[in-house]
Amino acid sequence: MFRNNYDNDSVTFSPQGRIFQVEYASEAVKQGSVVVGLVSKTHAVLVALKRNAEELSSYQKKVIAIDEHLGLALAGLASDARVLSNFMKQQSLSSRLTYGRAIPLSRLVNSIGDRAQTNTQHYGKRPYGVGLLVAGVDETGPHLFEFQPSGMTQEMVACAIGARSQMARTYLERNLDKFADAGREELVVHGLKALKESLAQDKELTVENCSVGVVGVRGEGMKAIEGFKLFDGQDVKQWVDMVAEGAEETAEEGMDVDS
Amino acid sequence: MNHLPQAWGRPRDDVYGAYDHAYLQNGPKQHTQSPAVTGTSVLALKFKDGVVIAADNLASYGSLARFTDVKRLRKFADTTVVGFGGDVSDMQYLDRLLNSLDIEEAYGGSSHTLNAQNLHTYLSKVMYKRRSEFNPLWNQLLVAGLDGEGKPFLASADLLGTTFSSPSLATGFGAHLAQPLLRKVAFDEEAAAKLTVEEAVEAIKESMKVLFYRDARSLDKYSIAVVTKDGIDLKQDEKLEKQSWAFADQIRGYGTQIN
Amino acid sequence: MVFVQVSPRLRFPSKFPKLSFSVKQFEANHVTGADLYFVASGIQFGHANQTRASGAWRAQAPDGCQTIGFKPSHHSITSTVVPNTFSTSIGTGYDLTNSVFSPDGRNFQVEYAVKAVENGGTSIGIRCKDGVVLAVEKVISSKLLKAGANKRIATVDRHIGAVSSGLVPDGRHFVSRARDEASSWRSTYKTPITVKDLASRMGGYLQAYTLYSSVRPFGITGIVAGWDSELELPVDGQVGSGPKIGSGGKVEGKKYGGPGLFMIEPSGQYWGYYGAATGKGRQTAKAELEKLDLAAGKLSLQDGVKEAARIIYVAHADNKDKEFELEMTWISSLDGPTKGRHEEVPKDILEEAEKLAKKHLDDDDDEEETKEDDKMEE
């Protein structure tokens, strides 16, 4: 019987130059519930679908605030995300302490990318089994980054990762042109709509299973920061109601609807 | 039983005998106890659009005028000037430190640059860390530039890790001789915000002249820089003009006096 | 696990007798929802992403040059099979561990790392008389990527840039190490590292990753480019004028400094180049670079930028179905546009070069079409 001998560890290349352990790690991302991120000229938004293990258990945290100016959403192994987010919190604080400056996002994201890469090149380590969307603002405005277990990091205009996220990405690609000039509320609604696309047939968005993270810039010269804020429970009701069944028709005006 | 705090946590003399200092034959490990080759005063004054900063080009070895072309104003990234008083080799160390910081900052393109305020925070941490290791960098620094909001920024950090900010600052002898003169033109922030660049430069040059008259470790060749949002105008080989030594024969109490 | 049984008709070219697929039956081993593995005689020879539920699947065989298309409904293989250059490696066990020699003296893990490079976007470097250009083809994998962000050419020191083809995160590791080398050189010698010395250090670093079974080689080929100052440089941290004669050890009449361009392979092997190319389109790019007669040292930096853009466009033509972004940086001489620094090629110059590149491609296409038309008429 055929057996793939090249997938036992992350220090073995397959004859095609692939590293299967890393590819398998990105499968772990697809096991996590979906998260969506998107940016406008003024804001960066994260929305996430939370899962609970059973009816009476709490929901898994999907969005983590890192610093005043940024936060992240995760899909995959939550404990790996905690390791990375703790590291990011340290880096952010260290920048504030040493320079009195909010750390530039690209630098922070690169630092976890470099860390993740190390795990793919040394025996006895395993790749991180988590994908992240990092959203925040810095001197150059709002940003959204995607982080993958391979250590790949990319700046995106919008992105969705996790289970069934292809549907959300399709929504984002279709509405890509609308994000740049969208207002804060509008951006959140787009995020939730994308999230909704990825829901399983019998699921719907509720205040229990939705998380929203918002961060932005405002004021003259976009210098003032609207700090990263996490919304859960009743705080997301306003937005969940806007994308609920029925409310859709009126809100969807001018938007192409799949049937 | 000895209940005094200084005995807490130590082996009891009545059980173990008195502490044996014999192993410390060479005495305790010592770091720098005094500077070697030194630069004297640095002067700086804020005005409405920026900061003027100046230092002479002398490095003394004790009372010997050892080097007469030493540039004690160092540029950082075309946005900030750091003026160094005190030990010259420690200044060179710091200069290299700033150089490598500048290179690191430029990795990500030109979008993120540390402003003068960030740089001062960084330098003060370096100074404080070194003094906490009982191995201070024997300098007093003035950092001149603009802060995050584009307003003039001027602050000092010294070998103890002490920081200070004021519309006018001076190190070394200048702190005694020039500071009162500078305060006459800019008593507070409000007054400094009214100064033109010409007035500020004039005040600094006049103070440099007074220092040359009275500080035996000073020189009439100096560097002067004007930092504004348009960049740095640094001149490194200026000569004090319109000197008048007419007051000299009025001085009593030094050297051979005839009458 | 799902097994797809197909009975293909195979056509083996007779010049490849080594290929011993004598079976009449192929198994497509459906391992996950997305992946198919092709197996013959118990040996895996291909793998495919299931992009469509029906229609043709495409499989890439281990050496990366086999393409097998078949339609499950027709149960037949439609394209030819070429032999596997790794047929001596697979199944022997010598290719499963880094740092292990095979009986014929090869380290297969290093060769497989090269495969990762060969699938990456094309990178090139051109050493001109008054500077060096770096260019990279960035294949756009998603519409959601932010245009113009995600830079792939990095600054290593003020005067040196680096780019790589292959696994992008490995490329970042490469750059990170290069920066550390450049920085530690400065703190030791109080002067910038030369491009040659950096290449040497990086060659040593990559080589170390072929020595141990506890690591894997880098899945990249890196290109480093820079300009070593032709003038007497102040020592880092120098505050006075120093001795008037400058540093010693110089040969009279010899020219110091100038452009540098080096390419470092996963094995750690490195060479200096007039024109370097790596990644998917390297063959095409190399052919184009050779036409430039760079060894003559006549090409100016300004023209080099245009050539670099054109070559990336030409090299991409083989991969036309995917969109790409061109990224270019340069390092000029001290009296040139970047004053010896590694910088992005300014937007207007880049756009001009891209316009020319596109025009060149269109002209070429027209030419070919007219040729074919002629033949038709004949």
Side-chain angles (χ1 to χ4, degrees):
Chain A
M1 225 327 268
F2 148 72
R3 192 177 125 63
N4 187 351
N5 284 315
Y6 303 101
D7 67 351
N8 290 314
D9 53 56
S10 54
V11 296
T12 308
F13 277 108
S14 82
Q16 304 98 304
R18 298 166 58 179
I19 304 158
F20 281 102
Q21 269 299 305
V22 174
E23 294 183 21
Y24 295 170
S26 33
E27 291 299 319
V29 178
K30 294 179 193 157
Q31 306 278 342
S33 65
V34 63
V35 293
V36 174
L38 55 173
V39 271
S40 69
K41 282 176 188 158
T42 55
H43 286 83
V45 163
L46 296 170
V47 296
L49 181 68
K50 290 185 288 187
R51 272 204 291 235
N52 53 349
E54 49 190 289
E55 190 80 2
L56 294 175
S57 75
S58 65
Y59 285 80
Q60 174 65 49
K61 199 173 164 63
K62 295 286 283 181
V63 182
I64 303 172
I66 300 294
D67 196 350
E68 173 79 17
H69 66 301
L70 78 136
L72 62 80
L74 63 105
L77 302 183
S79 36
D80 283 15
R82 211 173 56 235
V83 170
L84 289 168
S85 64
N86 284 345
F87 177 71
M88 290 166 83
K89 286 174 185 177
Q90 282 178 10
Q91 295 285 304
S92 303
L93 281 176
S94 149
S95 174
R96 289 203 187 261
L97 184 72
T98 321
Y99 302 106
R101 175 180 70 165
I103 194 168
L105 250 73
S106 60
R107 200 175 294 196
L108 185 60
V109 172
N110 280 336
S111 74
I112 55 166
D114 292 353
R115 244 181 89 130
Q117 194 278 339
T118 310
N119 287 239
T120 72
Q121 207 171 7
H122 295 269
Y123 189 82
K125 298 193 179 211
R126 64 158 174 86
Y128 289 112
V130 71
L132 306 174
L133 296 180
V134 183
V137 295
D138 60 24
E139 292 156 32
T140 53
H143 299 281
L144 173 72
F145 287 88
E146 181 195 3
F147 162 87
Q148 292 168 218
S150 62
M152 185 79 167
T153 60
Q154 297 180 111
E155 180 159 12
M156 315 291 283
V157 187
C159 191
I161 53 171
R164 305 161 57 88
S165 57
Q166 183 53 51
M167 313 284 274
R169 279 200 295 276
T170 307
Y171 175 90
L172 295 172
E173 280 178 22
R174 285 212 183 114
N175 296 283
L176 203 55
D177 309 335
K178 297 170 191 162
F179 302 152
D181 295 310
R184 181 182 186 268
E185 303 299 302
E186 214 179 322
L187 206 58
V188 174
V189 170
H190 274 304
L192 286 171
K193 281 182 178 167
L195 198 66
K196 211 175 148 192
E197 294 282 323
S198 284
L199 290 180
Q201 214 117 62
D202 56 335
K203 289 274 167 51
E204 54 185 303
L205 293 181
T206 66
V207 293
E208 281 82 29
N209 69 14
C210 258
S211 273
V212 176
V214 184
V215 60
V217 286
R218 63 178 168 207
E220 209 175 317
M222 302 293 176
K223 283 278 185 189
I225 285 180
E226 179 189 331
F228 186 87
K229 194 161 186 310
L230 177 54
F231 299 89
D232 274 311
Q234 286 305 312
D235 293 338
V236 299
K237 188 165 191 303
Q238 36 163 344
W239 295 311
V240 171
D241 286 349
M242 283 169 88
V243 296
E245 252 11 274
E248 196 103 2
E249 313 314 322
T250 45
E252 282 271 327
E253 209 180 337
M255 220 174 263
D256 37 10
V257 185
D258 299 343
S259 49
Chain B
M1 184 81 188
N2 183 357
H3 295 284
L4 294 173
Q6 49 269 49
W8 292 356
R10 291 173 163 278
R12 284 167 56 178
D13 287 358
D14 54 336
V15 177
Y16 299 100
Y19 187 74
D20 180 12
H21 290 90
Y23 83 97
L24 272 176
Q25 284 188 350
N26 309 316
K29 188 182 177 193
Q30 292 192 341
H31 294 299
T32 317
Q33 300 291 305
S34 63
V37 178
T38 58
T40 180
S41 321
V42 185
L43 311 181
L45 174 61
K46 282 200 223 180
F47 64 97
K48 66 178 164 105
D49 305 316
V51 189
V52 184
I53 182 166
D56 70 27
N57 293 352
L58 180 70
S60 311
Y61 182 58
S63 60
L64 172 71
R66 180 64 184 83
F67 303 103
T68 55
D69 63 346
V70 168
K71 312 300 187 316
R72 296 193 290 126
L73 300 185
R74 313 299 291 176
K75 273 205 265 193
F76 181 86
D78 295 325
T79 60
T80 306
V81 173
V82 185
F84 292 84
D87 193 273
V88 170
S89 57
D90 284 351
M91 164 176 100
Q92 289 178 295
Y93 167 80
L94 281 166
D95 188 46
R96 287 195 292 265
L97 202 64
L98 291 176
N99 196 27
S100 71
L101 183 65
D102 182 39
I103 292 170
E104 275 173 42
E105 276 298 302
Y107 287 157
S110 53
S111 50
H112 298 285
T113 44
L114 293 166
N115 60 41
Q117 193 169 25
N118 299 143
L119 204 64
H120 175 256
T121 307
Y122 171 70
L123 284 168
S124 64
K125 306 284 164 179
V126 173
M127 301 303 272
Y128 178 68
K129 177 172 185 288
R130 288 294 294 263
R131 91 98 211 219
S132 300
E133 290 166 355
F134 286 79
N135 188 16
L137 293 163
W138 220 282
N139 300 101
Q140 190 171 11
L141 325 169
L142 296 189
V143 183
L146 304 174
D147 66 11
E149 270 133 39
K151 291 203 295 259
F153 176 87
L154 173 61
S156 84
D158 67 11
L159 70 167
L160 299 173
T162 313
T163 60
F164 197 72
S165 191
S166 165
S168 65
L169 284 172
T171 75
F173 240 76
H176 306 94
L177 292 176
Q179 190 65 275
L181 301 173
L182 295 174
R183 284 192 186 138
K184 271 208 285 201
V185 292
F187 176 73
D188 52 15
E189 293 287 351
E190 214 175 302
K194 285 180 188 143
L195 285 180
T196 64
V197 61
E198 291 81 13
E199 287 167 335
V201 168
E202 183 54 34
I204 288 287
K205 284 186 176 174
E206 202 54 35
S207 303
M208 288 300 286
K209 210 188 311 183
V210 169
L211 280 167
F212 181 56
Y213 289 150
R214 320 227 78 135
D215 178 0
R217 307 288 171 266
S218 70
L219 196 69
D220 54 353
K221 275 199 306 184
Y222 68 101
S223 306
I224 186 164
V226 178
V227 198
T228 60
K229 68 174 181 349
D230 302 320
I232 298 166
D233 177 19
L234 172 64
K235 300 194 192 90
Q236 293 195 305
D237 281 302
E238 298 293 282
K239 176 107 177 135
L240 284 178
E241 285 163 355
K242 293 182 216 138
Q243 292 177 35
S244 163
W245 291 85
F247 67 92
D249 59 0
Q250 303 302 311
I251 298 174
R252 291 287 181 276
Y254 298 96
T256 314
Q257 299 286 332
I258 308 293
N259 46 3
Chain C
M1 275 198 183
V2 184
F3 293 90
V4 183
Q5 303 282 338
V6 288
S7 308
R9 283 176 288 113
L10 271 176
R11 284 186 287 130
F12 291 113
S14 56
K15 55 177 170 171
F16 304 126
K18 260 193 164 179
L19 198 77
S20 57
F21 290 140
S22 56
V23 284
K24 293 273 156 45
Q25 193 177 24
F26 274 71
E27 298 167 19
N29 182 358
H30 197 139
V31 174
T32 71
D35 287 351
L36 281 171
Y37 294 92
F38 296 87
V39 185
S41 299
I43 298 172
Q44 181 203 353
F45 73 90
H47 169 266
N49 279 308
Q50 186 187 349
T51 49
R52 278 172 289 178
S54 61
W57 277 311
R58 289 166 70 81
Q60 270 228 316
D63 70 341
C65 62
Q66 288 181 341
T67 305
I68 300 163
F70 73 97
K71 291 180 178 165
S73 52
H74 297 155
H75 290 208
S76 64
I77 282 187
T78 51
S79 70
T80 49
V81 178
V82 289
N84 182 351
T85 53
F86 286 131
S87 54
T88 52
S89 66
I90 296 165
T92 59
Y94 292 111
D95 69 337
L96 294 172
T97 316
N98 189 19
S99 89
V100 166
F101 279 121
S102 74
D104 51 353
R106 295 158 71 181
N107 180 348
F108 285 112
Q109 276 296 308
V110 172
E111 296 185 25
Y112 295 172
V114 172
K115 286 289 157 200
V117 176
E118 291 172 358
N119 294 324
T122 315
S123 315
I124 62 164
I126 302 180
R127 186 177 174 274
C128 308
K129 65 174 177 194
D130 52 350
V132 199
V133 200
L134 288 174
V136 62
E137 165 212 24
K138 289 187 289 186
V139 178
I140 313 263
S141 56
S142 162
K143 272 165 75 178
L144 299 175
L145 280 166
K146 185 170 173 181
N150 302 307
K151 296 285 182 241
R152 286 273 308 281
I153 313 181
T155 301
V156 170
D157 198 336
R158 289 197 179 112
H159 62 302
I160 296 177
V163 68
S164 60
S165 290
L167 309 179
V168 177
D170 283 22
R172 288 200 46 82
H173 180 182
F174 178 87
V175 166
S176 161
R177 178 65 187 197
R179 285 170 175 172
D180 288 352
E181 289 289 355
S183 158
S184 85
W185 183 281
R186 274 193 124 102
S187 66
T188 309
Y189 301 110
K190 313 289 180 241
T191 188
I193 193 170
T194 64
V195 190
K196 191 180 176 179
D197 285 313
L198 182 71
S200 163
R201 292 287 184 98
M202 293 313 291
Y205 189 68
L206 263 59
Q207 191 270 155
Y209 278 77
T210 70
L211 285 177
Y212 309 96
S213 57
S214 56
V215 293
R216 63 167 173 82
F218 277 75
I220 53 145
T221 287
I223 301 178
V224 292
W227 183 273
D228 301 326
S229 172
E230 64 272 45
L231 301 178
E232 183 80 28
L233 281 180
V235 174
D236 282 5
Q238 180 179 318
V239 291
S241 56
K244 294 284 181 280
I245 50 163
S247 56
K250 295 217 179 69
V251 180
E252 199 153 333
K254 192 182 164 189
K255 198 174 159 282
Y256 287 89
L261 178 65
F262 291 81
M263 189 154 79
I264 303 128
E265 294 164 26
S267 61
Q269 177 147 258
Y270 71 95
W271 303 97
Y273 287 86
Y274 291 114
T278 182
K280 198 170 230 160
R282 68 198 174 284
Q283 307 285 19
T284 318
K286 275 179 190 167
E288 291 297 321
L289 285 166
E290 280 163 16
K291 289 182 200 161
L292 296 177
D293 188 23
L294 294 163
K298 288 197 176 120
L299 188 70
S300 73
L301 184 58
Q302 299 286 352
D303 290 341
V305 166
K306 289 173 190 151
E307 293 295 349
R310 184 182 63 76
I311 291 171
I312 290 292
Y313 269 83
V314 172
H316 180 78
D318 306 332
N319 194 16
K320 236 175 188 167
D321 50 327
K322 286 178 183 146
E323 278 188 58
F324 80 105
E325 219 175 67
L326 170 68
E327 183 184 334
M328 283 206 290
T329 64
W330 61 358
I331 313 101
S332 80
S333 59
L334 296 182
D335 50 6
T338 81
K339 299 183 173 60
R341 282 169 171 262
H342 175 245
E343 287 173 2
E344 275 171 36
V345 171
K347 210 169 164 228
D348 52 332
I349 300 179
L350 181 83
E351 279 168 3
E352 172 67 17
E354 281 196 276
K355 211 169 79 189
L356 288 172
K358 281 178 198 157
K359 189 166 171 295
H360 175 88
L361 272 191
D362 290 345
D363 292 353
D364 263 16
D365 285 353
D366 291 349
E367 235 168 78
E368 267 170 46
E369 269 167 41
T370 39
K371 265 184 205 162
E372 270 168 38
D373 287 351
D374 291 349
K375 273 184 203 159
M376 298 276 266
E377 276 159 35
E378 282 163 25

